[in-house]
Every structure is written in C-alpha cells, then in structure tokens.
C-alpha cells in the first residue's frame, strides 16, 4: 500500500477549477516532485495535503487513513515555505522550537531537540539571531530545521529554493537530496524548475492547468513523454518538435534549402503508420542529434544540414539548424570543427525519436 | 565639466538656503504661541498687565503653575486642575488600551481570517471615521443613559473606544495586509490557533503600528473637548473641560498667568508622548503607507 495517496482530488475556488481529478500515489521514503508552470495549481495541491485548503472532492490518505478532516497541526506533516515564513519576532532557536512548544513539549526536551537539529544543519552559531539578520541560505536552513525538528511523517516543500541565487540553489539542492537519503523521509516537493524536478525526484508529476499531464520516474518523463507539453517543458534545452510527413515507413521533413530529410524506420508505431500521407510531430532531444564523430551505430541516419548558429557551452556545442520550418537545437561534441553558415553532417538517433499528434499534442505510440 | 557643474552647485546651495529660511519662518510662527504661553506663565499678574506679552519675565515665579495645579477656582470649587488631570488619565489609559487592542484584533481578522462580507464590514468601519461627532451626541447620550453610564468616566471610555475603533482598525488592517500570509500558514502547521497566532506572532511584530495608534488615540482622546463637555458630569470632567471652566470662570480678576500655566499643563502629556515616540510615529505611518 502506498504511503501517501492522493485520490481523485478536485479543488475549486468559486467557479475556478484549480485542481481537476488528481490521483497520485507515493511510496514510503519517496520523493515526489510536482512540477509545472506558474499558476498550474502546485501550491494549491500542496496546501490541500497540508490541510491549509479544504479539497472540494476526493480523498487524501496517509498510511491508509483519510486525513481530510484533520487540522493541519494534527496531520504530522511539516512544510517549508517559499518565503521560509520565519517568525520575524523570534530568534532562530525560538522559531525552530515554536511547533514543539505549541504541542506542549517541556522546555528541556525542546532545547535538546533544537540543539540536535541545529547541529545537523550546522546552524548552532545562529540560534540567537533574528531571521532579519540571516542570509537567504541561512534562512533556508532554519526553515528546514523547523520542519525537521518535529520529525514528521511527511515533508512538504513549496519552491524552497526559488529565492536563492543560482549558485546557492545548486548547493541547497544537493543538500536536500542528501537529507532525503540520510533520513529516508517521504517528501512532496513543488517547483517550477524542471532541472530541480529531474535531479531531486524519485517520482515526478507534471501539472498543467490543474491536470496531471504525466506521472512517472524522471527517466520515464524525460525519455517517454506522454504529450507535447511534457516533452517541451522537461529538459533544457527543450526537446525539438519538428513537423514531418509520414510516407510508408519513412518520415520526411524539409531542410532549410527545401530538400527533404528522410528518416527511414524499420517499423513505425501503428498509430503513426496509420497517418500515412499526413503530418505528425517528431520529437527529438538535442543530444539525439549529434555530429558525425559521434557513436553512430546502425540505428542512426546521417544527413547534411546547414548550421545557422553555433553556441559553445563548455562541455558541448549547441548548433542550431532549421528543419520543418522550426529551429532545431543539436548537441555536438566539444571539438566539433564546423562553423556557422556551413553545412554539417549530423547523426539522427532513430531510437530516441518519439511522435506526437500535431492537433491534440498527444503521444503516438 | 567642472565649470558647468559649479553654477549648478551654487544655485542648489541658494535653493537650500531659501528652503531653510522658509522652514525657520514657519517654525517660529508655530512656536511663538508656545513661547508666549511659557513666558507669561512664569510672570506675575502685574507684570503681564503692565508689560509686553513677548518680553521675558523680570520676576520669575512658579506661583501660577502651583495655583493652576492645586488651588485655582474650577467652576465653584477651588481645587485646581489636578483632580481633572487624574480624570483624564483614568479616561485616556483604558480608552487607548482597549481601542488599540480591538483595532489590532479587527485588523487581524479582516486580513488573515477573512469571511464572506468582510469588505463590507471594513467599509462600514471606515465610514465611522468620517462621521462628524456632533451628529452622534444626542443618540449617544441616550445610549449612555440607557446603559447607566451617563456622566461617568466609564461612559467616556466607551464613547472614545467606539469612535476610535474606525481609525485603529484602519491602521492595523493596512499594516497586517502587508504581513505575509505564509507566516499564518506556518503558525497553523506549527499548531498555533487563532489567539496564539495573534498574541505570539502578530502582536509582537506590530511595534511601529502600535506606537502610531497609541499616539493617535492618546492625543485625540486627551484633547477631546466635545465628548467631555457633553457626557461628563462634575466628578468625571476631563482636563480640557476643566481648563475651559478655569479660563471662563467669572468671579474675580482674570489671572492670565494661571490660565497660561493651566493650558501648558493640559498640553503637556501629548507633548511628552510626541517627544518620546514621535520618530516611531513617522516610521510607522510610512510602513503602513508603503506596504499597505
Ligand atoms: N485563495 C484563492 N482564491 C482564488 N483563486 C486562487 C486562490 N489560491 C490560488 N488561486 C488560483 O489557483 C491557481 C493556482 O494557484 P497556485 O496553486 O498558487 O499555483 P502555482 O503554485 O502552481 O503557481 C491560480 O490561478 C490562482 O490564481
Ligand atoms: Mg506556488
């Protein structure tokens, strides 16, 4: 049985349906990431789990027990907020122990717990400071401490890193992952940053307009997106989506100079072959289009394409060409000798290509 | 570069000088009455009669102050202003405390525990800020009579609490509107309920706005004459009404020096409150204005 079960949850504010029929299960010790563009209902879903918002229909269970009628404080859940929400009038120690105090824990016990958590998070020297005297990263730690000290069954994080600068964000990301590995806690984590989602989650739910677009492991989401929204949203640079025409076992797209680029497959998925003569959307990640120095292999097709722009990115080079009237990003080796405005031989990895219905955006399997 | 910036620099200086001249002029204009009151309150009556209002005292005396405080004729009793000073304190302290606390509570509910129709309730409270007090005198007198508080200090406290509530609510509502909702959510997760969230988190973070509200309420209630004259009887008369009685008492000669001393005494508490906490007043008003 799953640890946390979100079962057909709907939430509306008046006439606006913010969450629509959301069902997600998380196993004990799992790290679920809710990812999606701003305004898609991530925070609302997190708040319903926390009990800060009442859900309209559906059920949420922890270890099989329905928690919908419990007050937030009685759910044994801790939450880390985007703004950290540290009480400005209390010092760090008081902030961390406030939840324990509200639960009637005696002072000595509280102090011992605070000291322990402060040691784990290396914030012992900050205990007497007010939140206003802390840096962003330190506040973040204190907010984590406040959650950890209660030793809850479930942690909720609402975009905890979005107020930090880029460098610190990466460090704290690692730290959260380490914390998850050390304590084995179950976590639901909200972010709009797909890199955070990929790096942290054991399971990812991609949301859009209050609907789960896809729920799966990071690898499933990345390699096997269920629609064009997920394909486009997850991954950086995004997956290339190229209009193409089906012709028997071949898929054809036009190059910048008008010449067709033909990808011949041994076998196309039935739903794609069924669209013979019609348009499909080809999805291919930048790393599946590489220069001729690449591994190649029998499942690759080589074709010459004109390179418009070259963007060296350290470890790789991103080169942009035009296919099917769209800019296509390719990921080439660091030592690729080519230049912009020249033709280059590119290898297309057919195994990594997916197809979508251009109208509905759904995956064609 | 330097030759073009030089004239700009000196014209800036000139502007600044003019500005200060005007400001000093205004300051003098406002401080002159205070000066007149202070110098004449330490002169003898003869010196006032025979001399110039603006001149400094030749024979410095504290006698008028002592008279005003403890023996001047107020109405028919030669009690001085001191009993009425006590009356004012007994009225102001509870009225300010209660109206500030209720304003904070209202602001908290109106921003953090919103309910259907909360905007209407707030609108009505704001409306109360703009009702001219003369309109409510007679209804209020009837209400005070009906509940048995006519002519008492408690009655005055009630009146001032009711009519201060609009402003105190407005102050706190604007202040708490800028207080992050996530803090309230965090408190809920931590297990704090309605009251503990209010007393442990909101109130301790409200220093600036409490100062603003207390100053505002203190000066308004202390300086109020209309309600005091209308609803107080002889035993509960506040300082302002007593001062009026002192100045306008018809028996004997007009003791201007005593009158001046009495007026300064009546103004002293508000003056002290401003001097002690005035800088927080400006800071608190700005905080409310910018964030709200
Ligand atoms: N209390 C509320 N009343 C009305 N609408 C709300 C409320 N809270 C959130 N919404 C709406 O619900 C949608 C989802 O909000 P939210 O869950 O905060 O999005 P996210 O966290 O994914 O950015 C938004 O369109 C927002 O305007
Ligand atoms: Mg959000």
């Amino acid at each position: 049985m799953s640890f946390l079960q979100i079962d057909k949850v709907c939430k509306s504010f008046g006439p606006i349906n913010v969450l629509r029929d959301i069902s997600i299960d998380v196993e004990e010790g799992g790290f679920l990431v809710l990812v999606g563009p701003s305004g898609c209902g991530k925070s609302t879903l997190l708040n319903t789990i926390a009990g800060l918002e009442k859900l309209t229909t559906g059920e949420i269970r922890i270890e099989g027990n329905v928690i919908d009628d419990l007050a937030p404080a009685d759910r044994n859940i801790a939450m880390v907020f985007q703004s950290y929400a540290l009480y400005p009038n209390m010092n760090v120690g008081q902030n961390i122990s406030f939840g324990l105090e509200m639960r009637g824990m005696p002072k000595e016990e509280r102090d011992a717990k605070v000291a322990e958590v402060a040691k784990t998070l290396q914030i012992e020297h900050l205990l007497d400071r007010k939140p206003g005297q802390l840096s962003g990263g330190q506040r973040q730690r204190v907010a984590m401490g406040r959650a950890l000290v209660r030793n809850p069954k479930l942690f909720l994080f609402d975009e905890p890193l979005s107020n930090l600068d880029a460098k610190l964000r990466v460090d704290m990301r690692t730290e959260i992952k380490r914390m998850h590995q050390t304590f084995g806690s179950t976590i639901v984590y909200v972010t709009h940053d797909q890199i955070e989602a990929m790096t942290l989650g054991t399971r990812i739910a991609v949301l859009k307009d209050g609907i789960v677009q896809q729920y799966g492991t990071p690898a499933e989401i990345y390699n096997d997106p269920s629609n064009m929204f997920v394909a486009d949203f997850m991954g950086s640079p995004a997956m290339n989506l190229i209009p193409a025409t089906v012709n028997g076992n071949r898929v054809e797209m036009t190059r910048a100079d008008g010449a067709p680029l033909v990808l011949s497959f041994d076998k196309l998925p039935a739903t794609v072959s069924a669209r013979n003569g019609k348009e499909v959307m080809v999805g291919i990640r930048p790393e599946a289009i590489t220069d001729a120095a690449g591994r190649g292999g029998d499942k690759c097709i080589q074709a010459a394409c004109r390179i418009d722009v070259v963007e060296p990115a350290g470890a790789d080079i991103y080169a942009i060409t035009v296919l099917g009237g769209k800019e296509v990003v390719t990921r080439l080796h660091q030592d690729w000798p080519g230049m912009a405005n020249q033709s280059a031989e590119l290898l297309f990895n057919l195994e990594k290509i997916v197809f979508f219905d251009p109208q509905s955006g759904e995956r064609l399997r | 570069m330097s030759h073009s910036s030089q004239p700009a620099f000196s014209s800036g200086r000139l502007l600044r000088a003019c500005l200060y001249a005007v400001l000093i002029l205004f300051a003098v204009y406002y401080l002159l009455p205070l000066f007149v009151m202070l110098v004449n309150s330490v002169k003898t009556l003869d010196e006032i009669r025979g001399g110039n209002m603006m001149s400094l005292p030749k024979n410095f005396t504290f006698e008028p102050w002592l008279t005003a405080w403890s023996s001047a004729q107020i109405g028919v009793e030669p009690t001085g202003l001191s009993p009425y000073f006590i009356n004012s304190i007994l009225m102001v302290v509870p009225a300010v405390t209660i109206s500030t606390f209720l304003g904070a509570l209202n602001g908290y509910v109106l921003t953090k525990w919103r309910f259907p129709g909360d905007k209407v309730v707030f609108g009505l409270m704001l409306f109360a800020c703009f009702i001219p007090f003369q309109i409510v005198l007679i209804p209020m007198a009837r209400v005070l009579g009906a509940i048995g508080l006519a002519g008492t200090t408690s009655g005055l406290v009630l009146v001032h609490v009711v009519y201060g509530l609009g402003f105190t609510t407005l102050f706190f509502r604007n202040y708490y509107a800028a207080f992050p909702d996530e803090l309230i959510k965090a408190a809920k997760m931590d297990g704090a309920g309605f009251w503990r969230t209010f007393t442990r988190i909101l109130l301790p973070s409200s220093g600036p706005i409490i100062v603003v509200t207390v100053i505002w309420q203190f000066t308004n209630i202390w300086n109020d004459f209309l309600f005091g004259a209308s609803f107080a009887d002889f035993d509960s008369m506040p300082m302002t009404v007593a001062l009026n009685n002192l100045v306008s008492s018809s028996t004997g000669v007009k003791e201007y020096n005593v009158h001046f001393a009495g007026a300064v005494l009546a103004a002293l508490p508000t003056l002290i409150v401003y001097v002690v906490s005035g800088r927080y007043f400006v800071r608190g008003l700005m905080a409310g204005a910018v964030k709200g």
Side-chain angles (χ1 to χ4, degrees), chain B residues 96 99-100 168 171-172 208-218:
Chain B
V96 169
S99 61
T100 302
T168 58
F171 289 156
F172 278 98
I209 202 67
I210 290 177
V211 172
V212 168
T213 312
V214 165
I215 294 182
W216 174 268
Q217 284 297 87
F218 187 93

Side-chain angles (χ1 to χ4, degrees), chain B residues 60-284:
Chain B
F60 187 91
T61 168
F62 258 130
E63 199 54 41
W65 284 70
L66 293 175
T67 312
W69 179 250
S70 55
S71 63
Q73 191 87 10
I74 310 288
V76 289
E77 303 278 347
T79 55
L81 288 170
S82 60
Y84 307 101
F85 188 89
I86 306 288
N87 278 351
S88 271
I89 294 279
L90 288 179
M91 169 185 77
V92 164
V93 172
V96 169
T97 312
I98 296 171
S99 61
T100 302
F101 180 78
L102 288 182
L105 197 59
N106 285 343
Y108 172 52
V109 171
L110 287 172
T111 53
K112 304 302 175 201
W113 294 79
R114 308 199 37 191
F115 52 92
D118 56 355
K119 288 232 166 81
V120 178
V121 171
F122 180 57
L124 289 174
M125 292 194 130
L126 266 191
F127 189 61
C129 299
F130 303 107
I131 298 177
F133 287 158
Q134 289 80 349
I135 292 180
V136 299
L137 285 183
I138 292 172
M140 195 40 134
R142 300 211 50 163
V143 170
L144 288 178
I147 58 179
L149 291 179
T152 64
T153 299
S154 312
L156 278 179
V157 169
L158 178 69
V159 174
H160 285 299
V161 166
V162 169
Y163 288 105
L165 216 49
F167 277 106
T168 58
T169 301
L170 171 68
F171 289 156
F172 278 98
R173 198 211 76 106
N174 285 353
Y175 192 78
Y176 289 156
F179 197 83
D181 287 342
E182 280 197 344
L183 282 168
I184 309 296
K185 289 185 183 169
K188 270 189 201 161
M189 300 292 294
D190 270 342
F194 179 90
W195 284 108
R196 282 202 287 194
T197 306
F198 182 54
T199 55
R200 294 289 304 276
I201 295 161
L202 268 279
L203 270 189
S205 314
S206 310
I209 202 67
I210 290 177
V211 172
V212 168
T213 312
V214 165
I215 294 182
W216 174 268
Q217 284 297 87
F218 187 93
T219 46
N220 273 338
I221 299 175
W222 184 274
N223 290 336
D224 165 73
F225 179 75
L226 184 66
F227 286 151
S230 312
F231 301 135
D233 66 14
F234 200 78
D235 295 328
S236 57
M237 199 156 69
M239 186 78 164
T240 45
V241 181
L243 179 67
N244 178 60
N245 290 355
L246 165 73
V247 172
S248 63
S249 66
S250 48
T251 51
V253 286
K254 291 256 184 237
E255 296 182 290
Y256 291 113
N257 51 358
V258 175
H259 298 173
F260 279 129
V264 176
L265 277 173
L268 216 51
T270 49
L271 218 62
I272 290 170
V273 167
Y274 262 114
V275 169
V276 169
S277 47
R279 63 205 170 97
Y280 296 104
F281 186 71
V282 176
R283 208 183 294 163

Side-chain angles (χ1 to χ4, degrees), chain A residues 244-252 268 272-280:
Chain A
T245 315
V246 186
N247 184 359
N249 262 353
R250 295 181 306 178
V251 174
E252 300 177 1
L268 282 172
V272 181
S273 328
R275 302 173 71 93
N276 200 4
K278 294 201 213 123
E279 199 177 67
V280 289

Side-chain angles (χ1 to χ4, degrees), chain A residues 13 16 18 37-45 53 158-159 190:
Chain A
F13 293 106
I16 313 157
V18 176
S38 177
C40 69
K42 306 178 297 284
S43 297
T44 307
L45 181 55
E53 299 277 5
D158 193 352
E159 309 215 15
V190 162

Side-chain angles (χ1 to χ4, degrees), chain A residues 89-131:
Chain A
N89 55 305
M90 301 181 195
N91 68 27
V92 168
Q94 291 164 331
N95 260 285
I96 295 177
S97 70
F98 187 68
L100 304 178
E101 188 191 338
M102 291 298 113
R103 281 168 175 72
M105 185 183 279
K107 176 119 175 52
E108 298 85 68
E109 220 174 309
R110 274 186 345 238
D111 290 346
K113 287 234 176 205
V114 171
E116 187 189 321
V117 165
K119 187 149 183 273
T120 317
L121 291 171
Q122 297 164 358
I123 50 173
E124 293 137 302
H125 59 297
L126 303 175
L127 286 177
D128 292 327
R129 293 209 204 154
K130 288 278 175 67

